[in-house]
Amino acid sequence: MATLILVRHGRSTANTSGVLAGRTPGVALDERGAEQAAALPGRLAGLPLAAAVSSPLQRCRETLVPLLDARPGLPLHTEERISECDYGDWSGRKLAELNDEPLMEVVQAHASAAAFPGGESMRAMQARAVDAVRDWNARIEAEHGEDAVYLMCSHGDIIKSIVADALGMHLDLFQRIHVDPCSVTAVRYTRLRPFVVRLGDTGDLAGLAPREARDTQGTAEVGGGAGAP
């Protein structure tokens, strides 16, 4: 089956302000995010992409603009099922204040039981995203052959949940996966099993350098975090 290239959107204004954006409209790439998006065509230059599929949210669409400009014949499709998790009443709030919510502990340690007030459950989020991937795998293979490569631009928690499914991991373990803004994750699907061949690749190792405010308690960044400076 097809090889899926998962791209998390570039760094956004919400990432740098410490806000859980969710589906809040008007969240754009910041200056660093625009630079990351501009570098994407070069990073993907060796890949014969059959199609690009995007979350409908602005920050994902902006991330793909340079790639689409560089490849004017590349078809672009919008897929609602890979949109950001619906964080409901948590959307637009500061992550620092959300850390005090009792639900955050459940999100961190027992994600399959977490449901956001006024929003969706993390279990439902994963189910719709994985269903979208399976449907697009079949469509791309039918239209372009079993060796086809295509791209999806989505969000941190969505990509992590897709990777967890590909690895055969329970959703409760998905916070162990990390994907930086504009990182590339690749999953090669076959008839019997998927293979995760790249995970959170940013094209450099800056994201591995020690950070001054790095959390030492093992808490995952809900929504995906802002990545390296």
Side-chain angles (χ1 to χ4, degrees), residues 41-49 71:
R43 293 170 59 202
L44 299 175
L47 296 179
L49 298 174
R71 302 193 190 198

Short mmCIF file of all heavy atoms in Angstrom, two decimals, residues 41-49 71:
data_model
loop_
_atom_site.label_atom_id
_atom_site.label_comp_id
_atom_site.label_asym_id
_atom_site.label_seq_id
_atom_site.Cartn_x
_atom_site.Cartn_y
_atom_site.Cartn_z
N PRO A 41 9.61 22.47 0.80
CA PRO A 41 9.81 21.94 -0.56
C PRO A 41 11.19 21.33 -0.77
O PRO A 41 11.31 20.29 -1.43
CB PRO A 41 9.60 23.18 -1.45
CG PRO A 41 8.73 24.07 -0.64
CD PRO A 41 9.16 23.87 0.78
N GLY A 42 12.22 21.95 -0.23
CA GLY A 42 13.57 21.41 -0.37
C GLY A 42 13.74 20.10 0.36
O GLY A 42 14.40 19.18 -0.13
N ARG A 43 13.15 19.99 1.54
CA ARG A 43 13.26 18.77 2.32
C ARG A 43 12.55 17.60 1.65
O ARG A 43 12.95 16.45 1.81
CB ARG A 43 12.69 18.99 3.73
CG ARG A 43 13.50 19.98 4.57
CD ARG A 43 12.77 20.35 5.84
NE ARG A 43 12.50 19.17 6.66
CZ ARG A 43 11.54 19.10 7.59
NH1 ARG A 43 10.75 20.15 7.80
NH2 ARG A 43 11.37 18.01 8.31
N LEU A 44 11.50 17.90 0.90
CA LEU A 44 10.71 16.85 0.25
C LEU A 44 11.04 16.71 -1.24
O LEU A 44 10.35 15.97 -1.95
CB LEU A 44 9.22 17.15 0.41
CG LEU A 44 8.69 17.23 1.85
CD1 LEU A 44 7.22 17.65 1.85
CD2 LEU A 44 8.86 15.90 2.58
N ALA A 45 12.09 17.36 -1.69
CA ALA A 45 12.38 17.44 -3.13
C ALA A 45 12.55 16.08 -3.77
O ALA A 45 12.22 15.89 -4.95
CB ALA A 45 13.63 18.29 -3.36
N GLY A 46 13.06 15.10 -3.04
CA GLY A 46 13.30 13.79 -3.63
C GLY A 46 12.11 12.86 -3.64
O GLY A 46 12.22 11.72 -4.10
N LEU A 47 10.97 13.32 -3.16
CA LEU A 47 9.79 12.46 -3.05
C LEU A 47 8.78 12.76 -4.15
O LEU A 47 8.33 13.89 -4.30
CB LEU A 47 9.13 12.65 -1.69
CG LEU A 47 9.97 12.25 -0.47
CD1 LEU A 47 9.19 12.51 0.81
CD2 LEU A 47 10.38 10.79 -0.55
N PRO A 48 8.39 11.75 -4.91
CA PRO A 48 7.38 11.94 -5.96
C PRO A 48 5.97 11.89 -5.37
O PRO A 48 5.28 10.87 -5.41
CB PRO A 48 7.63 10.74 -6.88
CG PRO A 48 8.13 9.67 -5.97
CD PRO A 48 8.91 10.37 -4.88
N LEU A 49 5.52 12.99 -4.82
CA LEU A 49 4.23 13.01 -4.13
C LEU A 49 3.07 12.91 -5.11
O LEU A 49 3.00 13.66 -6.09
CB LEU A 49 4.10 14.29 -3.30
CG LEU A 49 5.13 14.48 -2.18
CD1 LEU A 49 4.96 15.86 -1.54
CD2 LEU A 49 4.98 13.39 -1.13
N ARG A 71 5.31 22.98 -6.55
CA ARG A 71 4.77 21.86 -7.34
C ARG A 71 3.35 22.21 -7.81
O ARG A 71 2.36 21.71 -7.24
CB ARG A 71 4.74 20.58 -6.52
CG ARG A 71 6.10 20.15 -5.99
CD ARG A 71 6.03 18.73 -5.47
NE ARG A 71 7.21 18.33 -4.74
CZ ARG A 71 7.53 17.06 -4.49
NH1 ARG A 71 6.74 16.08 -4.89
NH2 ARG A 71 8.62 16.77 -3.80
#
